Amino acid sequence: MSGALHLHYEVSGDDFTRAGEASSSVKKRLKSLGYDFDAIRRVAIAMYEAEINMVIHAEGGFCDVDIYPDKVEILLSDKGPGIPDVDKAMQEGFSTAPDNVRNLGFGAGMGLPNIKKYTDGMRIETTIGVGTNLYLTVMVHKEQ
């Protein structure tokens, strides 16, 4: 594959039944292109965590994925409230999810820490009252 394969997904807000559709689609695409299992798993986990965060906190947004021979670059963008304290949000167990979301089994405060754990690069741009852009990079290689 020369250049990048570009994929675009809309992430519905407040719809937990559809959360994960983008990550599932990317996972299938990477598998069909022959990327290694570990890279596929890391991309899927990071994207799923980010999608859930968009559903819980930002009423959705969009996800752009660029697949290169050696890496996958992902932009997740929302028009949510922004993240008031990124350092605090990066702490395992810290959550601002409401009780109704926690009762569904989400909002344990592991989203951003897991995203960082499973990616090779993570950058957050957030503005209060405007939204958040999350830039992720996962390095990959094709199986022989």
Side-chain angles (χ1 to χ4, degrees):
M1 173 175 48
S2 61
L5 171 63
H6 180 79
L7 306 171
H8 177 83
Y9 302 92
E10 296 294 324
V11 178
S12 296
D14 201 28
D15 184 354
F16 288 95
T17 61
R18 294 191 55 210
E21 287 182 352
S23 57
S24 180
S25 176
V26 171
K27 179 180 176 180
K28 288 176 188 170
R29 182 62 67 97
L30 290 173
K31 188 174 183 180
S32 74
L33 292 171
Y35 286 92
D36 67 283
F37 174 79
D38 182 63
I40 294 168
R41 181 180 63 84
R42 294 185 308 119
V43 167
I45 291 169
M47 281 187 66
Y48 180 78
E49 293 282 12
E51 285 178 79
I52 289 296
N53 279 352
M54 292 170 79
V55 171
I56 293 171
H57 302 290
E59 299 179 13
F62 71 86
C63 176
D64 283 331
V65 180
D66 292 309
I67 301 171
Y68 296 91
D70 62 339
K71 65 185 173 183
V72 178
E73 293 183 343
I74 306 159
L75 165 62
L76 297 113
S77 182
D78 67 56
K79 302 280 189 235
I83 304 171
D85 187 336
V86 172
D87 290 335
K88 192 178 267 188
M90 290 299 300
Q91 294 175 7
E92 290 185 11
F94 176 80
S95 178
T96 58
D99 287 340
N100 66 316
V101 170
R102 290 174 191 245
N103 290 337
L104 293 173
F106 299 101
M110 293 303 295
L112 289 176
N114 274 341
I115 293 167
K116 183 176 174 98
K117 176 181 177 181
Y118 288 104
T119 59
D120 297 297
M122 173 179 159
R123 182 168 49 97
I124 299 171
E125 293 178 355
T126 187
T127 303
I128 301 304
V130 176
T132 299
N133 289 329
L134 181 61
Y135 299 90
L136 309 175
T137 301
V138 175
M139 301 307 294
V140 299
H141 64 275
K142 286 194 170 192
E143 292 184 343
Q144 302 301 338

